[in-house]
Amino acid sequence: PQIDSPDLQQTSYVDAGMQRWQDQLSQGEVICGRVRDFPQSELALLAPQGILSLMVVPIFSGESWYGFIGFDDCQHERDWSPVEIDALTAVAGIFGAAIERRRSENALRQRKEDLERFERVTISRELKMVALKEQLRTLEAKLKERGLD
């Protein structure tokens, strides 16, 4: 309910009393259940938001834990069905794949830019070498004309 709350942004899991979330989510585990059954440190953050039940699924980008996506129910305490958990896990997988694709595209774009920059530098050096060789031939020809070869 308070996704945009500044108090919940850029806060470490440990500082927020959510170490369990970091531990479990980073290992690919789902966190779900009735908030009243959660540890007190988590209850202190979730209950004031009016959250009664919660399901949180990790998002991985490649092998790296990126974050999480979740649902909360502020109307009823409830247990989440395996189908609901599977559905949110599938969504998290799609998000993770999209994030990984974006990262791969960015890396590919950066490599392409680096290669283009390298090619420009190489061509510039080659052109300078051609110009220097031409100057050398010109000097050699002048020296030969003067008999100083």
Side-chain angles (χ1 to χ4, degrees):
Q2 297 184 18
I3 193 168
D4 295 323
S5 169
D7 295 336
L8 301 177
Q9 306 301 314
Q10 304 300 319
T11 302
S12 78
Y13 289 91
V14 174
D15 292 345
M18 310 294 267
Q19 179 67 47
R20 176 177 79 108
W21 286 37
Q22 181 174 333
D23 295 343
Q24 288 187 237
L25 293 170
S26 67
Q27 295 301 310
E29 299 174 23
V30 174
I31 296 173
C32 66
R34 299 165 192 223
V35 170
R36 69 179 158 105
D37 297 331
F38 285 20
Q40 184 60 41
S41 61
E42 297 172 15
L43 192 58
L45 180 69
L46 300 171
Q49 298 180 62
I51 300 171
L52 300 175
S53 296
L54 178 77
M55 173 178 42
V56 178
V57 174
I59 298 172
F60 283 84
S61 174
E63 297 296 316
S64 302
W65 177 46
Y66 182 84
F68 64 85
I69 184 173
F71 287 128
D72 44 26
D73 192 330
C74 298
Q75 302 292 320
H76 307 94
E77 285 190 333
R78 65 192 302 266
D79 292 320
W80 301 91
S81 73
V83 170
E84 291 170 318
I85 294 169
D86 288 347
L88 192 58
T89 300
V91 170
I94 291 167
F95 282 157
I99 293 163
E100 184 63 21
R101 179 177 175 167
R102 171 70 55 94
R103 286 180 173 172
S104 295
E105 287 171 349
N106 289 342
L108 184 59
R109 186 174 19 266
Q110 183 63 50
R111 284 188 192 110
K112 182 181 176 191
E113 289 170 7
D114 291 346
L115 181 58
E116 288 170 352
R117 193 171 18 261
F118 176 76
E119 286 175 354
R120 283 192 304 271
V121 167
T122 302
I123 290 169
S124 175
R125 287 183 180 166
E126 288 176 3
L127 290 173
K128 287 178 184 176
M129 289 298 294
V130 168
L132 287 173
K133 285 180 182 179
E134 186 58 36
Q135 287 176 355
L136 184 59
R137 275 191 226 116
T138 302
L139 287 173
E140 287 174 342
K142 285 182 182 180
L143 287 173
K144 192 171 190 176
E145 283 176 9
R146 294 181 182 165
L148 300 172
D149 53 327

